[in-house]
Amino acid sequence: MPFPYEYISDERVKQLLTWPKAFEVVERAMASVSTGDAFQTTRKVVPVGNQPNLLFVMPGYLKDPKYGALVSMVFTKYGGNPKRQPPLPIIHADMAYMDEETGVTKAVIACNEAMEWVTAAASVTATKHLHGPDCGKPNRILAVIGAGHQGRIHAIAFQKYFNFAEVRIWNRTASKAENVAGELNKKFNKTVFTASPTVEECVRNADVIITATDAVQTLVKYPWVKKGAHINAIGVSPFATELDADTYKASKIYCDYKEGAEAELKHISALGGKFEGQVGDVITGKIPAPSVDDTSIFQSLGMPMEYCAIARLIYDLHKGKK
């Protein structure tokens, strides 16, 4: 008996998505927490077995005529997967896209590819509203800490939207940063991407900073951060931060949704960091954006609304509706 729903693979998702659409849907999702159209819970985490393996569940409903959807996004994190033969990704994700009227599943959408796009698009959206849409103007510098999947796709998304004059990439394994820089120079037919030998050299004088690592120790120190810079902190750990305490204390910090920050980012508040509010509240004008002299941080978590919007976009594109 055939499945009563469709399966949309990562390969199909990659064919369908474009950056302009990704930026549009994620901006709408981030604004929804301020407009009252977001219905979601904090993500639930279930330990699996005796290993430090985790199952994350992110259900939600976005009320919107264009990008509204009822979705449950689930992903697993198995740290030992790269050591398997053959190696497997640490993260595996899928979304169940359900009919809003009946609750019946209409499609299961592979979410590994979409997760990368959503996370990068959220950082672009936060940077646009917290730091300004012209932050890629002449002589502006982007620093990317981490050359893995998220570091690479952030570099691509930010160059697509802002067109930085210089993009520095640092990675613990230097050859990986060099390889990504070379690959992206070819992709964009430019020479703006370079590999930095140290985190300090990568970060100093940068206008926008992205931290996208699995580090369990501090990487970025406050004396290196340019006054008025904007930081997108992607790596989230309940035990460690990629930014030092002084950077948090000296910056205006924003989250994607308040409930998630209250549940998962208590350790940042314990360091002396103060959350100003949600990026969505800046988008809708409920709270002001930072001034040009303020150093700002978007502490990224990810939230169900982003996956509702991207699932609706993917499904409609797949069906030829958009």
Side-chain angles (χ1 to χ4, degrees):
M1 178 179 177
F3 285 120
Y5 51 79
E6 294 193 64
Y7 178 74
I8 304 175
S9 68
D10 276 318
E11 291 74 17
R12 179 61 172 155
V13 169
K14 193 171 184 178
Q15 291 172 356
L16 295 170
L17 289 180
T18 63
W19 284 112
K21 282 292 186 183
F23 297 144
E24 180 182 328
V25 300
V26 170
E27 184 171 57
R28 173 64 188 110
M30 294 182 85
S32 71
V33 299
S34 183
T35 59
D37 298 316
F39 301 87
Q40 61 186 343
T41 66
T42 57
R43 60 184 180 182
K44 307 304 178 186
V45 185
V46 180
V48 181
N50 296 323
Q51 301 296 321
N53 301 323
L54 300 170
L55 167 68
F56 297 82
V57 183
M58 299 170 64
Y61 169 58
L62 172 60
K63 185 180 178 183
D64 184 82
K66 189 175 182 181
Y67 295 123
L70 176 64
V71 167
S72 180
M73 194 278 237
V74 296
F75 70 97
T76 54
K77 186 174 183 180
Y78 277 58
N81 276 359
K83 297 178 182 177
R84 293 179 178 273
Q85 293 301 325
L88 294 171
I90 292 174
I91 301 289
H92 181 81
D94 291 290
M95 296 183 283
Y97 173 65
M98 292 162 277
D99 186 277
E100 296 174 34
E101 299 297 324
T102 66
V104 173
T105 299
K106 297 169 72 173
V108 172
I109 306 171
C111 198
N112 291 26
E113 187 73 25
M115 183 185 281
E116 292 186 10
W117 284 66
V118 162
T119 308
S123 296
V124 166
T125 301
T127 303
K128 170 185 169 183
H129 289 280
L130 300 179
H131 194 62
D134 64 344
C135 70
K137 66 187 181 183
N139 302 319
R140 290 298 181 105
I141 299 169
L142 173 67
V144 182
I145 310 301
H149 291 296
Q150 279 298 339
R152 178 184 176 277
I153 202 160
H154 270 76
I156 292 170
F158 273 72
Q159 198 60 12
K160 289 278 188 182
Y161 193 89
F162 296 111
N163 194 28
F164 283 89
E166 182 181 354
V167 182
R168 304 170 184 163
I169 302 171
W170 174 87
N171 196 74
R172 195 176 306 280
T173 304
S175 60
K176 192 168 185 178
E178 292 165 2
N179 290 341
V180 170
E183 174 204 340
L184 296 185
N185 279 326
K186 288 181 181 177
K187 180 180 180 66
F188 285 90
N189 194 25
K190 293 186 176 183
T191 58
V192 299
F193 298 90
T194 61
S196 295
T198 67
V199 175
E200 180 177 358
E201 289 178 70
C202 189
V203 166
R204 277 201 181 273
N205 298 315
D207 299 281
V208 177
I209 300 163
I210 297 163
T211 61
T213 74
D214 287 326
V216 292
Q217 74 275 357
T218 297
L219 293 173
V220 176
K221 298 182 180 179
Y222 178 62
W224 307 340
V225 178
K226 179 180 178 180
K227 182 176 173 58
H230 172 70
I231 304 168
N232 296 288
I234 310 305
V236 178
S237 165
F239 312 108
T241 60
E242 296 165 306
L243 313 177
D244 68 4
D246 287 341
T247 301
Y248 279 113
K249 285 187 275 190
S251 304
K252 291 193 171 181
I253 311 169
Y254 299 81
C255 61
D256 35 24
Y257 71 126
K258 180 180 67 173
E259 294 81 5
E262 290 172 347
E264 296 190 51
L265 300 177
K266 293 184 179 73
H267 59 303
I268 291 174
S269 298
L271 291 174
K274 178 179 179 294
F275 283 89
E276 302 289 328
Q278 304 169 129
V279 174
D281 290 328
V282 177
I283 294 172
T284 60
K286 285 190 175 180
I287 62 175
S291 74
V292 293
D293 294 324
D294 289 325
T295 303
S296 56
I297 298 171
F298 170 50
Q299 188 65 56
S300 176
L301 268 176
M303 61 177 176
M305 290 305 95
E306 294 163 343
Y307 294 98
C308 290
I310 203 80
R312 171 71 179 272
L313 173 66
I314 290 166
Y315 185 81
D316 284 355
L317 288 171
H318 179 66
K319 290 295 196 179
K321 296 180 181 179
K322 279 190 171 71

